[in-house]
Amino acid sequence: MYLTNFFFETKNLKIKNKTKVRSLIKSLCLKENKKLGFINCVFCSDKYLVEINKKYLKNDYYTDIITFDHKEAEDNVEGDLYISAERIKENAKNFRVTTEEELVRVVIHGVLHLIGYKDKSKKEKVIMTQKENKYISLYKES
């Protein structure tokens, strides 16, 4: 059984099609040969996310997403995605995409981290971006 939850610490962001996002997450996991357990997407403010960043990662800067992996089995995908609504909106403007597309990209990015993809090196970033683009295309086509 799988479950994707959406929680809102902030009221300034809405998800237009939760069912479509849930379907994409499930599809992404299947295509990556993983079992979807649960994912909690928590949409919050910059202030809220920077406090999490300081407390758990010892970083004092803004970010669009922080991912916490909670899987108990290697082939499962389970965890929490803390996503800044403000970064989503600002990045959408900067990248000249819709807020919905940027939101989906960030959710995909977080799920890819839960699957095990990294983005610290140049090579890892290229792979991550290719995967993000692949799954954003699937979302747009559905």
Side-chain angles (χ1 to χ4, degrees), residues 4 19 31 39 48 56 59-60 82 89 102 117 122 128 133:
T4 300
T19 303
K31 289 183 184 305
I39 293 181
Y48 190 92
Y56 295 102
N59 297 321
D60 188 7
Y82 286 85
K89 289 178 177 184
E102 181 62 11
Y117 290 97
K122 216 176 213 185
M128 182 76 89
N133 292 339

Side-chain angles (χ1 to χ4, degrees), residues 7-120:
F7 300 99
F8 296 87
E9 180 276 331
T10 183
K11 301 284 186 223
N12 65 357
L13 185 72
K14 300 257 188 262
I15 299 175
K16 290 182 181 176
N17 195 334
K18 291 178 185 174
T19 303
K20 192 173 172 182
V21 174
R22 284 183 176 109
S23 179
L24 175 67
I25 291 169
K26 182 179 179 187
S27 182
L28 187 162
C29 290
L30 288 172
K31 289 183 184 305
E32 296 290 330
N33 298 311
K34 300 291 182 180
K35 293 181 204 164
L36 177 57
F38 74 89
I39 293 181
N40 294 317
C41 298
V42 181
F43 296 93
C44 54
S45 66
D46 274 344
K47 183 178 176 184
Y48 190 92
L49 196 55
V50 83
E51 289 306 315
I52 290 171
N53 207 359
K54 285 180 196 174
K55 182 174 181 180
Y56 295 102
L57 303 176
K58 309 298 185 229
N59 297 321
D60 188 7
Y61 55 79
Y62 293 129
T63 185
D64 53 1
I65 186 168
I66 295 177
T67 305
F68 293 99
D69 190 341
H70 299 302
K71 72 175 169 256
E72 293 181 12
E74 195 54 40
D75 63 342
N76 281 1
V77 178
E78 297 180 333
D80 298 325
L81 308 178
Y82 286 85
I83 301 168
S84 168
E86 290 148 309
R87 293 302 98 217
I88 295 283
K89 289 178 177 184
E90 189 171 305
N91 288 345
K93 285 179 189 171
N94 291 340
F95 299 135
R96 295 187 173 103
V97 298
T98 65
T99 301
E100 179 184 13
E101 185 175 333
E102 181 62 11
L103 182 147
V104 170
R105 184 194 67 78
V106 172
V107 168
I108 290 168
H109 186 88
V111 174
L112 290 170
H113 274 309
L114 292 176
I115 287 171
Y117 290 97
K118 308 275 187 247
D119 60 358
K120 295 294 180 201

